[in-house]
Amino acid sequence: MRYRIQADTVITVDDAFHIFQPGQVTWDGHVIVSVGPPELDTSRVDQEINVSGGIVMPGFYNGHNHAAMTLLRGLADDSPFFEWLEQHIWPREARLTSDDIYVGTLLAAIEMIKSGTVAFADMYFEMEAVARATEESGMRGWLSRGLVGNDDLDFVKLNQSVEFVDAWRGKAEGRIVPMLGPHAPYTCSPAYLARVGQVAKDLGVGIHIHLAESPTEVQQMQQQYGLSPIGVAWQAGLFESRLLIAHGVHIQPEDLGYLTGMTGGIISCPISNAKLGNGIMPYSLLSAQSVPVGLGTDGAASTNSLDMFLEMKAMAWMQKLVEGRPEAFNARTALTMATRRTAEILGSTGGVLEPGRPADLIVVDATAAAMTPEIDPVANVVYTATGSNVLYTVVNGEILLADGLLTRLDERAIIQEAKQRLQHLFA
């Protein structure tokens, strides 16, 4: 079917950062066919949606998530990072069933769709359940099973990951892209990482890993291997595939030789990194060397919210603060990171509104008092709007949220099921 959305503003995030006021986006099937002023395209469509006071823009690509951790939201908040992880999160995760993870991922999908996220990169376990939930939600997912392996080189879970890649590559109309997910260099030995790197090359898939997230991790890698976490990953051959580095908070100047020219990039999760006391990513250091940097939320257990509007605000504010200059980071950079840049890191052509691109877009309500006046619509989107302002979410040409209502998922039933499953988890 052929659709068109007309609104007061269209923000394209294309190379020239075109903004049309008023504007329209038309798509046919899964692909955008025209973007521009209303008079640009007057062709017949099957459905036309007019949103007075709306802002049409690319949907968000959440570059790092553990979706099913919605079930652990609020657990042991305000605890030190490794205490939080080892004493609270991991013991609860050990009790999660495949059905729990399926429901937790659906719960995350509701939150993401309603707040304008069209795609996410996920690392967890029981990935068959995550993939089923992703397929049913209508979202795009770059999915990887979290892998832990030390010197015993137990490859059972790695072999399961290979089976997952074979089973789900290209499924759900191409919306699901499998990856390999070695958890981190402090949970995976160099030999294990090297094996994962080789398997990724053989399969032609990307790698999703946590690197340089905390000071403790950096110290541990130096003590054990005399290398930074980035250096450990490089030596293991992970940079020979598309590499999605989650966090990168403690990247040092000496790491730039590894990162410059890499395929993939780094996903900053500013709220999670601040909340867990891990620090602020050195964005200016990376930007000066043209290292790609995108945005993600991390799991809801560490960031509490999967709202990418909040991540854009946090990224901008923290970089302005750490640099001591308000001009050091701007709203357009934040919006580009949350859309186009993260999509590019994942190897997608999404995150941009222009002909030939995937029909992944959202409409934001700009009629609220807090969004008035509209002197700069990009500034309003980044610094004022939240997920509650999203009216429409379109993924792969399908409208998943229409005037604030989900079209695929039963929100009430999923929330009720999630609450029931929490009883055994916290018994």
Side-chain angles (χ1 to χ4, degrees):
M1 293 180 66
R2 191 177 181 95
Y3 295 85
R4 179 177 298 123
I5 287 182
Q6 294 198 47
D8 290 7
T9 303
V10 173
I11 302 172
T12 62
V13 196
D14 62 8
D15 290 344
F17 219 98
H18 284 111
I19 297 174
F20 300 102
Q21 293 181 301
Q24 61 82 32
V25 179
T26 303
W27 68 96
D28 196 335
H30 308 312
V31 180
I32 295 172
V33 294
S34 72
V35 180
E39 61 272 18
L40 175 71
D41 191 339
T42 58
S43 62
R44 181 186 176 278
V45 295
D46 296 290
Q47 183 178 357
E48 183 170 306
I49 302 167
N50 291 282
V51 187
S52 177
I55 299 174
V56 185
M57 54 178 270
F60 297 121
Y61 278 62
N62 183 341
H64 178 61
N65 200 353
H66 310 286
M69 291 184 82
T70 50
L71 297 179
L72 304 177
R73 193 192 320 259
L75 175 62
D77 270 355
D78 307 320
S79 301
F81 177 57
F82 277 95
E83 176 188 317
W84 171 83
L85 189 64
E86 296 173 355
Q87 298 181 28
H88 300 285
I89 296 299
W90 285 350
R92 284 314 196 295
E93 285 184 327
R95 302 179 68 177
L96 288 172
T97 67
S98 175
D99 288 341
D100 292 334
I101 291 169
Y102 168 75
V103 173
T105 304
L106 286 176
L107 184 64
I110 290 172
E111 185 178 355
M112 288 190 284
I113 292 168
K114 293 188 73 173
S115 58
T117 292
V118 299
F120 66 108
D122 201 64
M123 179 198 292
Y124 217 50
F125 48 98
E126 300 288 354
M127 293 309 292
E128 286 281 345
V130 175
R132 284 192 295 112
T134 304
E135 181 176 31
E136 290 176 25
S137 73
M139 297 185 71
R140 299 187 187 277
W142 277 257
L143 309 181
S144 55
R145 194 217 187 281
L147 298 170
V148 173
N150 292 307
D151 292 330
D152 58 1
L153 300 184
D154 179 2
F155 294 129
V156 173
K157 292 182 175 61
L158 179 55
N159 292 335
Q160 291 172 350
S161 291
V162 173
E163 293 171 0
F164 175 74
V165 170
D166 291 339
W168 283 93
R169 195 198 307 247
K171 291 294 179 64
E173 300 176 307
R175 290 185 287 104
I176 291 178
V177 181
M179 303 177 74
L180 298 185
H183 175 260
Y186 58 86
T187 54
C188 298
S189 68
Y192 190 86
L193 290 176
R195 177 59 179 160
V196 172
Q198 184 59 53
V199 171
K201 283 180 62 179
D202 293 343
L203 292 173
V205 298
I207 297 171
H208 185 170
I209 186 172
H210 302 83
L211 288 177
E213 182 176 5
S214 71
T216 302
E217 175 195 343
V218 174
Q219 294 166 6
Q220 183 180 339
M221 293 304 100
Q222 286 289 348
Q223 291 171 358
Q224 287 184 267
Y225 310 118
L227 293 168
S228 69
I230 301 294
V232 172
W234 173 273
Q235 197 169 74
L238 302 191
F239 282 81
E240 296 177 33
S241 298
R242 178 175 297 278
L243 186 62
L244 189 163
I245 297 173
H247 301 296
V249 179
H250 294 281
I251 288 172
Q252 304 298 319
E254 53 267 30
D255 291 321
L256 293 176
Y258 304 123
L259 298 168
T260 302
M262 71 178 294
T263 301
I266 302 163
I267 300 296
S268 180
C269 303
I271 294 177
S272 172
N273 298 146
K275 180 167 176 271
L276 294 173
N278 284 328
I280 300 174
M281 167 191 273
Y283 176 78
S284 61
L285 176 71
L286 298 166
S287 178
Q289 296 298 314
S290 299
V291 177
V293 180
L295 275 181
T297 60
D298 208 355
S302 57
T303 197
N304 295 78
S305 168
L306 302 180
D307 187 340
M308 287 287 286
F309 286 95
L310 304 184
E311 297 296 336
M312 289 195 296
K313 291 172 179 54
M315 186 73 189
W317 294 336
M318 290 179 194
Q319 294 304 318
K320 291 171 184 289
L321 182 62
V322 78
E323 294 291 324
R325 296 180 298 116
E327 71 275 17
F329 195 96
N330 61 49
R332 290 192 175 194
T333 300
L335 183 57
T336 301
M337 288 176 62
T339 54
R340 180 174 186 168
R341 192 69 64 236
T342 300
E344 290 170 348
I345 288 170
L346 292 168
S348 170
T349 59
V352 184
L353 300 185
E354 63 182 7
R357 302 275 188 169
D360 298 345
L361 56 119
I362 65 174
V363 182
V364 177
D365 181 8
T367 63
M371 297 284 283
T372 306
E374 198 176 24
I375 296 170
D376 182 346
V378 178
N380 276 7
V381 162
V382 173
Y383 297 131
T384 299
T386 66
S388 63
N389 292 107
V390 175
L391 296 174
Y392 287 84
T393 298
V394 179
V395 180
N396 205 33
E398 180 181 352
I399 300 172
L400 301 183
L401 186 75
D403 204 13
L405 299 176
L406 294 164
T407 62
R408 273 199 181 212
L409 299 178
D410 187 334
E411 181 174 6
R412 182 176 297 179
I414 292 167
I415 290 173
Q416 185 61 34
E417 177 71 12
K419 288 180 177 179
Q420 292 174 354
R421 290 188 171 277
L422 290 173
Q423 295 177 7
H424 86 83
L425 191 61
F426 290 94

